[in-house]
């Protein structure tokens, strides 16, 4: 699909068919997405792919009980990752200074940019997705369930799968306020 068609046809998808996403397709989408620009070309993010049903069920509560967490075959969680950068600084015997709000913002921006490129790549392949603000709101609980190490913080995430909605029946989930 032409990129303009993909962008114009975008809408959030909250209901999904059971069909799994083929591993090759998921890989293709992620490989395209990670071509996104990143600050200093450091890619200070990590992407967590959650397909395991029990793990998705565990994430249901911190994701504010949004059904798409268990209904979609895949959840993608994009994390600001300080850990990798600090490891590299340490190995390079450079000052360990990637540890403040500015660093978090840099990593969070990298994570957000890659998330949207992955989203556009996925939509170009006929998949649908819906971001979940609960990723940031409950990043501590979500990080625990995903067993993230220190310095890896969930910032944006979405459910993703084959759309089972039509526009007229779509309900807008009120996730704020
Ligand atoms: C960072 C972010 C967080 C969002 N969180 C949620 C959410 O938790 N639940 C939900 O149903 N939609 C969520 N959305 C989707 C928005 O509601 C949706 O993008 C907006 O209403 C515009 O609709 P559209 O994406 O169909 O064009 C989120 C979108 C963004 C960008």
């Amino acid at each position: 699909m032409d990129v303009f068609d993909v962008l114009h046809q975008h809408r959030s998808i909250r209901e999904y068919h059971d069909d799994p996403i083929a591993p090759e397709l998921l890989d293709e989408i992620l490989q395209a997405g990670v071509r996104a620009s990143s600050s200093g070309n450091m890619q200070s993010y990590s992407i967590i792919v959650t397909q395991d049903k029990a793990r998705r069920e565990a994430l249901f509560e911190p994701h504010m009980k949004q059904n798409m967490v268990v209904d979609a075959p895949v959840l993608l969680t994009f994390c600001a990752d300080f850990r990798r950068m600090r490891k590299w600084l340490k190995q390079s015997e450079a000052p360990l200074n990637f540890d403040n709000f500015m660093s978090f913002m840099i990593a969070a921006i990298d994570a957000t940019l890659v998330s949207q490129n992955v989203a556009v790549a996925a939509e170009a392949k006929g998949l649908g997705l819906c971001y979940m603000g609960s990723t940031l709101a409950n990043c501590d609980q979500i990080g625990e369930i995903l067993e993230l190490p220190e310095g890896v913080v969930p910032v944006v995430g979405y459910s993703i799968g084959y759309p089972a909605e039509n526009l007229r029946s779509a309900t807008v989930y009120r996730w704020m306020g």
Side-chain angles (χ1 to χ4, degrees), residues 10-12 14 66 68 130-134 173 175:
H10 161 79
R11 66 184 182 84
S12 295
R14 298 173 177 85
Q66 303 193 65
M68 53 188 158
C130 185
Y131 279 91
M132 290 180 289
S134 39
Y173 188 94
W175 65 281

Side-chain angles (χ1 to χ4, degrees), residues 143-161:
E144 253 176 58
I145 293 167
L146 295 177
E147 300 177 61
L148 302 182
E150 197 181 321
V152 183
V153 183
V155 284
V156 285
Y158 42 77
S159 52
I160 179 166

Side-chain angles (χ1 to χ4, degrees), residues 88-155:
W88 178 75
L89 289 173
K90 205 171 175 181
Q91 279 170 359
S92 312
E93 295 178 11
L96 267 180
N97 55 6
F98 204 76
D99 63 349
N100 53 23
F101 182 67
M102 176 64 96
S103 316
F104 172 74
M105 285 304 297
I106 290 169
I109 289 169
D110 278 3
T112 307
L113 292 178
V114 75
S115 77
Q116 185 56 20
N117 271 22
V118 172
V120 173
E123 289 179 336
K125 292 287 184 183
L127 293 163
L129 56 101
C130 185
Y131 279 91
M132 290 180 289
S134 39
T135 311
L136 183 62
N138 291 325
C139 60
D140 47 350
Q141 295 163 51
I142 290 169
E144 253 176 58
I145 293 167
L146 295 177
E147 300 177 61
L148 302 182
E150 197 181 321
V152 183
V153 183
V155 284

